[in-house]
Structure formats: C-alpha cells, structure tokens
Amino acid sequence: VVSVTAVDTSVVRIDGWPDEVVGNGHEVPVYGGGSIPYAYLDNAASTPPLRAVVRAVNDFLPWYSSVHRGAGYKSRVSTAAYEEARERARDFVNAPDSHVVVFIKNTTEGINRLAALAEERGATVFVSIMEHHANLLPWRRLTRQVVYFGADEFGAVDEDDLRRKLSDHPTGPKIVAVAGAYNVSGYAPPLDRLARLCHEHGAEILVDAAQLAPHRPIDMSGRPGEEIDYLIFSGHKVYAPFGSGVMVAPRSALSSVSPALVGGGIVDLVTLDEVVWNGLPDREEAGTPNVVGAVALGAALIRLQELRRDGLLDQESALTDYLVKGLLSVPNLQLLGPRAAVDRVGVASFVIDGVPHGLVAAVLSYEHGIGIRTGCFCAHPGVLHLLQLPIAEADEGRSRMRRHDHVGLPGAARASLGVQNTRAEVDRLVRALKELVGSGPRASYRIDPSTGDYSPSNWEEALPLGL
Ligand SMILES: Cc1ncc(COP(=O)(O)O)c(C=O)c1O
C-alpha cells in the first residue's frame, strides 16, 4: 500500500503541457480497427523532443560547422553555441567553478568513464542494490573493489547499512554511486543527507541523475558538506533525444588521470614519443563532438527551467499522485516501491496478480494505444528485490534468464510521466487496466519465445517505414 500525499488540485495545475512536445497525440492503429491518439507513458525510458528543442536545432543547423579547430565564421558561431550549451548545463545543475562540464553520449558512457577514473585513483566504490545496470556494471567491470549497500523492501536506501559499510573502509579513496531517482520505483533518495553521510566518511558522492534531471532541480553546490561531487545525465531523458549527455566532475579528479579516450582535439603537442594533453574540458572530448546534440540539450534545459518557473514541479507531483491513486484503484494491482510518504518522481511500476507483465503492456499498446514499459527495466537485482519473490521462484527466473528463455520471466509494468501528460491519459490507463482485470484481453495473444513479447494472434503490424 502506498500512502499518497494529498495535492489540492484546485490550486495546482494537474494536466501537463501537451503542446510542448513534438508528435504528441499522433494517432496509432489499435486492435479491432481504427486508430486513436497515442498516450505515451514511457518517459522514464526516453522523452520526446520539446518543440523548443526542435526549433533551436532547426535555427542552428544552417550555422553548423566544426567547433574549436575551425577558423571560419560558422566555426566561431558553432563554437559559441556549443560552449553556451555547456554553460546551460552548468547552470542547470548549479555546478561549482571547481567542476568541469563534459559532453558525452549518455549516462551509460559517463559512468563507464568515471568508473575508469575511479579505478585509476584506486577507489572503493559503494553502490546500492537498486541501481540501474548503467550504475552497476561499469563499476563491476572497471573497478576492483565494489561494495553493495542495501535497500529496504520498498527500495529505499538503507542509510545505516551504507554508514556501516563506509565505516568498515576507513582508508583510501571512496565513491558512493547512487541514483538521484530510481527508474523502477520512482523513489528519489535524500541526496543532501546522503552527500553529508558520504563526506563525513571521507567518500565522494556520484549521482546518476538520469531520472532526476527530468523531474527535479539539481544543486551540485549544495550546503557545505552536502555538495555533489560527480553527476551524469542523458539528453534523451530531458526532451533532447539528439545523442548527447552531460558529465560533471571535479577538475582536480579529471586532470589527475589520463583522458578516457584519446585522439584528435585533446592535445597541445604530439611527437613520436611524447604527448601533452590540453586543458579541460577539451581533453575529455576527444574527436569531433556532437554539437547539434549539445545545442538541443542546452535548449531543453532552458525550456525545462521556464516550465519549472510556470509550476512544472507542482504539476508533476499532482499528476504523479493522480497516477498512483488511479493505479491503486485497480483490483489485484500491486505497486512496487516505497509505501511511506517519500519523495517519488513520476514513475510507477506495478504487477497485476495473474496477468503477466508483458501481457499487460501488450494489451495497453494493441488495444488502447498506450505506450508503457515492461520487464526488469535494466535493473534485475532491484526488480527482483522489489518483487519479494519466494526464493525458489526468483531462482527459477534467474535460471530462465541464464538460458535466454524469455517466457514467463519475473518483471513488472511501468508507467512514467513527462511534461506533456494529462489526467485524461492517466484515466485511459486506469480504465484499460480495470477492463483487463475485469474481463480479460479483447484479443487472444501469442508470445514470441525469442523476445517474450506478446502480440494479438491475428494481428498484422503495419509500421510506417521509410519515414
Ligand atoms: C536511473 C538510470 N540510470 C542510467 C540510465 C542509463 O541511461 P542511458 O541509457 O541514457 O545511458 C537509465 C536509463 O533508463 C536510468 O533510468
């Protein structure tokens, strides 16, 4: 059971901004014939581009040129746009001057880079069992010492366990890598308290902000003792799906190790036996950078900040409460994640007794034109922990996964909100789930054993190719 904070929707806007994103309300075909406006409730996976982003990209493209190394006028325009986007990102997370903002591809790349850096510095890394694989596997592959800290049965960080484990490692560099918001439960841990805990134990804190950046203001500078040392997020989760992301790290840490990637654009001198790296951030951006992606990201951050000034944060929490209440009204539905009054972003994962999660997603998609996510959301240990499966059932699930058997795997369905979503879309979701629980699917479904995906047995998919 989840306790839900009451939001007074007579004063707080509850519907989002449907016209802010491109493609909202596109009609999609549904089982039984005809088409209906698509309800996109999978924003935790990736967000559609904001109109402001598309406008900024279109305005910029005629000026596109190489950055930094070109001498022409357009190169100077492009360089200025690229560097302005960097400043936007710095401002968005309130990064201190001691930190460098580096453009990367996505959160996964950023954490891999920081894992290599942690290893070069001989750090012990502490991660929660609830992390996305992007904040789990890089540490396991690239650093020698990984320590797991626990979570309660609803996925909330076990701060006592973290404190104990940090105390057990009194010496040497330490990094605690934690999500700013979790992609399965939506739980947003108390970063200020965690940062203080880390710093009191001589550890640095790294925040995987992939799910935090779209939903909450970020203040890396924090109160004394509560600063965030490293932070990473992806453009495609903040309405700028143009292949760029951001990594913010202390200048001192990045300059103490060799660059993660080597090649063009990052040196002051190369001889056949000598290389002198140039300054930061350039030396962390080897090769030709994704200037268009950076411009898109900068535009998205500006627009998000404007929307936040217009009440986006209150609106999101109102619609999140509405979503949670709606889901809890569905018979036999169990919501995963914290049940106490904790901070939750617009992400809600659930299971329905007796209905496979893949079938839930398929019915929503094929019969109701609603896009959600299903499975383990790239967080296998976390999802298995939240599902609280009997040991034998969890073991059986893992052995199926080992065999690449995709049928009947443990998992959940997840609905997640973006700036464009409205009550009407949440209502559609809840109505569809109630119909599914009450009278079963309208179609009969087959399962593809190679993927585990369900589709109606007599369905011919006609995707618009060649767009
Ligand atoms: C919490 C969290 N961390 C990291 C990632 C990885 O982000 P990306 O796929 O953009 O690298 C995701 C993506 O879903 C996520 O939700």
Side-chain angles (χ1 to χ4, degrees), residues 44-45 106-109 132 134 179 181-183 208 210-211 234 236-237:
N106 52 29
T107 305
T108 303
E109 181 194 331
H132 188 281
Y182 283 91
N183 66 316
D208 164 359
Q211 298 294 345
S234 301
H236 74 94
K237 293 197 200 281

Side-chain angles (χ1 to χ4, degrees), residues 334 351-357 376 380 383-403 407-412:
Q334 188 199 332
V351 287
I352 297 180
D353 288 347
V355 189
H357 53 89
C376 282
H380 289 180
V383 168
L384 286 183
H385 177 80
L386 288 174
L387 287 173
Q388 300 273 307
L389 296 178
I391 290 173
E393 211 178 307
D395 282 347
E396 166 61 17
R398 288 190 201 97
S399 53
R400 278 168 187 265
M401 291 175 182
R402 275 182 209 109
R403 296 195 303 270
V407 179
L409 295 182

Side-chain angles (χ1 to χ4, degrees), residues 151-406:
D152 72 10
E153 59 186 306
F154 303 106
V157 168
D158 182 342
E159 292 172 51
D160 291 335
D161 191 40
L162 175 59
R163 184 176 297 107
R164 252 190 318 272
K165 297 207 162 126
L166 285 169
S167 304
D168 288 347
H169 291 76
T171 55
K174 296 184 276 283
I175 296 180
V176 175
V178 67
Y182 283 91
N183 66 316
V184 181
S185 63
Y187 161 64
L191 286 183
D192 41 4
R193 214 162 61 221
L194 290 181
R196 182 168 292 283
L197 174 62
C198 292
H199 295 144
E200 281 169 359
H201 288 81
E204 293 178 306
I205 182 164
L206 176 151
V207 174
D208 164 359
Q211 298 294 345
L212 184 68
H215 299 295
R216 291 281 190 281
I218 297 173
D219 182 7
M220 287 190 74
S221 298
R223 285 188 295 245
E226 296 176 358
E227 304 89 347
I228 291 169
D229 301 293
Y230 300 87
L231 185 124
I232 317 101
F233 64 96
S234 301
H236 74 94
K237 293 197 200 281
V238 289
Y239 311 93
F242 288 80
S244 68
V246 168
M247 168 177 100
V248 187
R251 187 174 290 275
S252 55
L254 289 177
S255 52
S256 69
V257 297
S258 44
L261 298 173
V262 293
I266 67 163
V267 292
D268 280 332
L269 169 75
V270 178
T271 70
L272 291 189
D273 49 19
E274 185 187 4
V275 53
V276 179
W277 311 119
N278 61 12
L280 288 163
D282 294 5
R283 64 181 253 177
E284 281 299 324
E285 294 182 354
T288 304
N290 178 1
V291 184
V292 176
V295 167
L297 184 43
L301 301 183
I302 294 176
R303 189 66 192 135
L304 263 183
Q305 284 172 319
E306 284 170 1
L307 289 174
R308 284 176 185 174
R309 285 196 286 276
D310 285 349
L312 173 62
L313 299 172
D314 284 343
Q315 179 274 326
E316 275 196 347
S317 65
L319 194 60
T320 302
D321 283 350
Y322 192 75
L323 170 69
V324 166
K325 280 185 188 140
L327 289 174
L328 290 174
S329 73
V330 177
N332 306 333
L333 183 147
Q334 188 199 332
L335 199 58
L336 303 185
R339 68 168 155 185
V342 294
D343 208 356
R344 172 196 271 274
V345 298
V347 173
S349 297
F350 55 92
V351 287
I352 297 180
D353 288 347
V355 189
H357 53 89
L359 181 59
V360 172
V363 167
L364 291 175
S365 167
Y366 289 104
E367 300 181 17
H368 302 277
I370 299 171
I372 62 155
R373 176 85 187 262
T374 173
C376 282
F377 319 117
C378 300
H380 289 180
V383 168
L384 286 183
H385 177 80
L386 288 174
L387 287 173
Q388 300 273 307
L389 296 178
I391 290 173
E393 211 178 307
D395 282 347
E396 166 61 17
R398 288 190 201 97
S399 53
R400 278 168 187 265
M401 291 175 182
R402 275 182 209 109
R403 296 195 303 270
H404 308 289
D405 174 353
H406 293 97

Side-chain angles (χ1 to χ4, degrees), residues 408-456:
L409 295 182
R414 180 184 73 188
S416 52
L417 303 172
V419 300
Q420 74 281 16
N421 290 128
T422 60
R423 247 174 317 186
E425 290 171 313
V426 172
D427 290 343
R428 271 174 67 185
L429 170 74
V430 171
R431 258 199 318 273
L433 291 172
K434 285 184 174 163
E435 180 189 309
L436 172 62
V437 172
S439 43
R442 296 175 193 170
S444 76
Y445 283 80
R446 60 173 174 228
I447 181 166
D448 177 344
S450 68
T451 60
D453 290 342
Y454 289 79
S455 57

